Amino acid sequence: MITSNGYVLDQSPARFAYLSPVPASERADRDALWRRLREDGYLYLSNHLDPGVVNNFREYYFTKLAETGLVRVGTEPSLGVGAPGEVNRASLRRILFDEIVPGAAYGGLTAHPDIKDWFAWLLGDEVHLHKRKIIRHVRPGETGIGTATQAHYDLVYLREGSEHVLSMWIPLGDTPIEMGGLAYLEGSHHWALAAERNGTRKHPAASITADLPGLADTHDARWLLSDFHAGDVMVHSAFAVHAATDNVDPENRIRLSTDIRYQRAGEPIDWRWQEHWSDRDGL
């Protein structure tokens, strides 16, 4: 059973399918990638990053936060096994927002040549990485509205800049479906773009809904998911509707991921995204 914010996803063939990775024959073909991005709204690039780079950051992250009570004592930090009980939230916020987010390790990961140079190649131009980069961890068993990222498309948060901004979601470690990875609503970028163009987008715009099954029924569409591996990345347009599922991992592993945004440096840049991410920045 797959859930998101407590809602049970319909796994019938009409409402559920697996994401399609970009085939090897297209990985170095920029025109083919753009055709796929326009058609699907996303690019699933399997093994795009060195798994060692990703897993090293996962180990760094959980080692830094070990003192908060987030991970189980005596386990390897890279496993990210959740500890029982409450975490020290004050300590967690201090380490996350004062040390990890602005730190060299995170900066090195998000501007890694396999990411930055790839975007420059895809976009055919100098690129800009938005300084506001988000790291999310979800402990197993966390449920209820607001636990998992609700269905939305990124443009609703980035209206002060170019609509051509591209997001990259990076699972930081192996992330099978039961750990609560990202899900995309098939074909959603077409109707989201149309709604933006003709002014029929519904409010509030910051979040479409936590009811993923209901949204799929409304648009007669499938939610697309995958078992992600360290090194996989997802790239999607600002109009692709996506959400996260709940972490129900039987091994009690914490789901860790980051989402970052690149665009052409010469296009309008949303000034609100040019400071380090904080959960109190109002975005």
Side-chain angles (χ1 to χ4, degrees):
M1 185 172 67
I2 303 171
T3 64
S4 178
N5 290 298
Y7 287 92
V8 179
L9 270 65
D10 180 353
Q11 291 180 245
S12 68
R15 292 289 176 265
F16 174 88
Y18 287 94
L19 288 159
S20 299
V22 175
S25 60
E26 295 182 14
R27 292 289 289 263
D29 186 336
R30 184 165 51 193
D31 291 338
L33 292 179
W34 275 110
R35 286 194 296 271
R36 182 175 288 270
L37 187 58
R38 293 186 182 102
E39 180 178 350
D40 297 340
Y42 70 85
L43 298 174
Y44 179 5
L45 302 173
S46 58
N47 201 33
H48 182 75
L49 303 176
D50 179 349
V53 170
V54 173
N55 285 323
N56 285 343
F57 183 84
R58 181 179 177 87
E59 180 177 12
Y60 158 80
Y61 183 91
F62 288 123
T63 299
K64 290 284 288 184
L65 290 173
E67 69 182 66
T68 70
L70 180 64
V71 294
R72 184 175 298 169
V73 175
T75 60
E76 289 292 329
S78 61
L79 298 177
V81 178
E86 293 296 318
V87 301
N88 185 325
R89 295 190 178 278
S91 179
L92 190 149
R93 291 193 78 261
R94 176 184 59 80
I95 296 170
L96 178 59
F97 296 118
D98 294 347
E99 299 180 25
I100 296 177
V101 168
Y106 188 43
L109 172 69
T110 55
H112 191 281
D114 289 342
I115 296 176
K116 185 175 182 179
D117 291 353
W118 182 86
F119 273 109
W121 169 76
L122 181 72
L123 294 169
D125 205 343
E126 293 184 13
V127 293
H128 172 78
L129 167 62
H130 289 252
K131 190 174 182 179
R132 186 177 189 267
K133 307 180 294 289
I134 302 170
I135 309 177
R136 307 180 193 274
H137 70 252
V138 179
R139 302 168 75 191
E142 293 182 341
T143 58
I145 303 300
T147 301
T149 302
Q150 299 185 39
H152 69 283
Y153 55 96
D154 289 348
L155 188 65
V156 299
Y157 299 105
L158 287 154
R159 293 202 179 279
E160 301 297 321
S162 172
E163 67 178 25
H164 300 130
V165 62
L166 292 175
S167 297
M168 176 180 279
W169 180 79
I170 308 171
L172 296 170
D174 291 345
T175 308
I177 288 175
E178 56 265 26
M179 284 182 69
L182 213 60
Y184 289 83
L185 189 61
E186 189 174 31
S188 56
H189 59 299
H190 296 301
W191 56 258
L193 174 60
E196 289 284 338
R197 293 290 185 265
N198 61 30
T200 58
R201 175 178 51 80
K202 294 182 179 180
H203 293 271
S207 179
I208 294 176
T209 181
D211 183 2
L212 271 58
L215 190 63
D217 288 341
T218 297
H219 293 279
D220 190 20
R222 303 183 296 181
W223 282 104
L224 308 177
L225 293 84
S226 181
D227 291 311
F228 296 105
H229 300 280
D232 294 351
V233 302
M234 294 295 304
V235 176
H236 61 256
S237 84
F239 299 97
V241 175
H242 55 284
T245 55
D246 296 327
N247 185 353
V248 295
D249 182 54
E251 299 179 27
N252 207 39
R253 293 169 297 177
I254 300 170
R255 191 266 274 182
L256 182 65
S257 65
T258 184
D259 45 288
I260 61 178
R261 284 148 191 92
Y262 273 87
Q263 66 170 80
R264 292 184 177 92
E267 294 193 357
I269 295 171
D270 193 325
W271 61 272
R272 301 168 303 164
W273 284 69
Q274 307 320 306
E275 299 295 336
H276 286 301
W277 166 61
S278 165
D279 61 348
R280 297 175 182 174
D281 62 14
L283 290 171

